[in-house]
Structures are given as structure tokens and as C-alpha cells.
Amino acid sequence: RRSDGEDGRSVLIANSHLSFPGNLDPIINNQRQAKEAGIILDAISKASAEWGRDTKSFPENECLEVVCGDFNSDSCGLAAALVESPPHNFVNCASAAALGAQCDVGGK
């Protein structure tokens, strides 16, 4: 609820910091980071559902969910793929900005 008494949009923010790739095998690193990302996604989904039930302040899918932080991997890794895939469908802002920069040459 906003200070003026009007209902506003609810925002749920999760900050993450996935483990540093400490194994020599990049496949093991990717799998570990994807597992950690899955734990974070499950937690934010559960928190959003519980918050919605407790407050009744927003209909389903009205809460903006933001996951930010350091994934310690590139945007093509398993963790990023998990976050961007259904049912989560988060937008990777770094990838989206890079794509926009590639497509928006000269401000067009």
C-alpha cells in the first residue's frame, strides 16, 4: 500500500550470489550453479505465493518479481537458461541490453 492510501504494485526482490566456479570441470560448475538458481527460484515463488495469500494485496501474476545478483557464470550457462525458461520466464537484462545495443545502431 502506498503512503497516500492507494494500492500500488507489489515488488518482490531476491538477491542471489551463486557459488564461484571452483571446480576444474565447467560442466560440474554449471550444474551446481543451476541447482543453486533453482533453489532461489523456488524460494521466490514460494515467498510470492505466501505473500499474496497473506496480504490479498495483489491478484496472481500482478507481483513484479526481480532476481538480481551475481551468477558467476555467463548468460549462456545452465543457471541463466533455467531462470529464463518456463515456467519462470525471467528476462536477463544484461542479455537484453546487449541485444538491444546490437540491434539499435545509431539510435534507430
Side-chain angles (χ1 to χ4, degrees), residues 12-42:
L12 182 60
I13 300 173
N15 187 27
S16 67
H17 191 106
L18 301 185
S19 60
F20 187 77
N23 196 298
L24 294 177
D25 186 345
I27 294 172
I28 291 173
N29 291 327
N30 278 335
Q31 291 171 341
R32 183 180 63 236
Q33 290 174 335
K35 182 177 179 180
E36 293 170 359
I39 291 168
I40 291 167
L41 292 171
D42 289 345

Side-chain angles (χ1 to χ4, degrees), residues 12-93:
L12 182 60
I13 300 173
N15 187 27
S16 67
H17 191 106
L18 301 185
S19 60
F20 187 77
N23 196 298
L24 294 177
D25 186 345
I27 294 172
I28 291 173
N29 291 327
N30 278 335
Q31 291 171 341
R32 183 180 63 236
Q33 290 174 335
K35 182 177 179 180
E36 293 170 359
I39 291 168
I40 291 167
L41 292 171
D42 289 345
I44 196 170
S45 179
K46 181 179 177 183
S48 180
E50 289 176 359
W51 190 19
R53 279 196 307 270
D54 290 345
T55 64
K56 306 287 189 223
S57 63
F58 55 89
E60 190 173 337
N61 297 326
E62 283 294 316
C63 179
L64 174 63
E65 296 175 350
V66 179
V67 177
C68 54
D70 188 350
F71 274 31
N72 282 318
S73 64
D74 64 37
S75 62
C76 297
L78 292 176
L82 175 67
V83 172
E84 295 174 26
S85 67
H88 311 292
N89 297 321
F90 282 90
V91 174
N92 182 330
C93 294

Side-chain angles (χ1 to χ4, degrees), residues 99-108:
L99 181 60
Q102 292 174 345
C103 298
D104 192 17
V105 179
K108 297 181 182 178

